Amino acid sequence: MRKFQRKRRIKTKKEKANLIHNYYARTGFYKFVGNNLKKAILPIIGVVLVIFLFNKYVYNINDGLHHFTETFSRLGILITFFISETVLGLIPPEIFIAWSKKTDQPILNLALLATLSYSGGLISYFLGKTALKIKAIKEYLEVKMEKNLKNTRKWGGILILAGALLPLPFSIACLAAGMIKYPFKSVVLFGLFRFGRFAIYAWAIFSVVS
């Protein structure tokens, strides 16, 4: 007896977008990003306020940055930043963005910082993959990064994009992506938004630092 297969209707772009939106809403992605933004906004406002008051009443930050630029070599600063962005983002990148403004070539140094941050995230991805081969490290990271791994499995590239753009740990997102063997091409693509974050932050910081 001949069987007839029912032709599957192809979903429109709008329907696909609605399905994706409903999935992220149901799994708590929007809530996750919102909570992290709330956590980040108040400290950022607080830091900006402290910097403003400190600069006005205590010590001229521009003089401090100038001293920082004169004391430490450009290569040393870039290497320190690269290590930080590879190993879980230990130092806030805003410090280095402010430093770039005081250099002779601020745009070039800013571009170098963005490239190093992006590259650090990609290296973190391979560190995550390598960690799976070492039992002790794998077990440690699986416990330490349980929440990050769970979120990456649920949201994949969108979480990497959020880590690249928002005040979220980009290197940790990439490390988790490596541990779950998320496609490297997608990490490369979504990670490019890291350059946008540096451009936005530089615009804000450069307007404060003279």
Side-chain angles (χ1 to χ4, degrees):
M1 184 177 178
R2 190 177 179 181
K3 295 182 179 179
F4 294 93
Q5 291 184 343
R6 186 178 178 182
K7 190 175 180 181
R8 191 175 180 181
R9 187 175 70 86
I10 299 174
K11 293 183 176 65
T12 64
K13 289 183 179 180
K14 185 177 180 180
E15 288 174 328
K16 289 179 181 178
N18 284 333
L19 285 173
I20 293 171
H21 166 71
N22 290 334
Y23 172 75
Y24 287 131
R26 190 175 69 254
T27 56
F29 175 73
Y30 298 133
K31 184 178 180 181
F32 170 79
V33 172
N35 287 339
N36 277 276
L37 281 175
K38 288 176 184 177
K39 291 177 183 177
I41 286 172
L42 287 178
I44 288 172
I45 293 173
V47 168
V48 170
L49 183 60
V50 168
I51 290 174
F52 174 78
L53 294 174
F54 185 84
N55 183 60
K56 188 172 182 179
Y57 297 109
V58 182
Y59 180 73
N60 190 293
I61 291 175
N62 289 300
D63 292 340
L65 287 171
H66 180 72
H67 176 72
F68 181 71
T69 303
E70 294 293 324
T71 303
F72 300 97
S73 70
R74 177 171 174 262
L75 180 61
I77 292 171
L78 292 174
I79 290 174
T80 301
F81 176 72
F82 178 63
I83 293 172
S84 172
E85 289 295 279
T86 304
V87 187
L88 309 182
L90 300 175
I91 307 174
E94 292 75 19
I95 295 173
F96 296 91
I97 294 174
W99 161 80
S100 70
K101 177 63 169 65
K102 300 300 293 183
T103 62
D104 295 331
Q105 298 174 303
I107 301 302
L108 174 61
N109 286 319
L110 177 67
L112 284 173
L113 290 175
T115 302
L116 290 173
S117 178
Y118 174 67
S119 302
L122 298 185
I123 291 175
S124 294
Y125 172 88
F126 288 106
L127 290 177
K129 289 190 71 174
T130 304
L132 297 176
K133 300 175 183 178
I134 305 172
K135 187 178 179 181
I137 296 177
K138 178 187 175 183
E139 291 176 351
Y140 172 78
L141 289 176
E142 283 180 342
V143 173
K144 197 76 174 176
M145 298 180 57
E146 181 183 1
K147 186 176 180 181
N148 297 92
L149 291 171
K150 182 180 178 182
N151 290 339
T152 306
R153 287 191 181 97
K154 283 194 296 184
W155 304 320
I158 299 299
L159 186 64
I160 297 168
L161 187 153
L165 268 179
L166 304 175
L168 303 174
F170 178 58
S171 60
I172 291 178
C174 292
L175 185 70
M179 291 183 68
I180 68 166
K181 297 181 179 180
Y182 187 78
F184 180 63
K185 289 182 179 179
S186 297
V187 177
V188 171
L189 178 63
F190 287 112
L192 289 172
F193 284 88
R194 191 67 172 168
F195 290 91
R197 182 182 188 274
F198 270 74
I200 294 169
Y201 272 61
W203 173 79
I205 293 172
F206 281 15
S207 63
V208 175
V209 178
S210 60

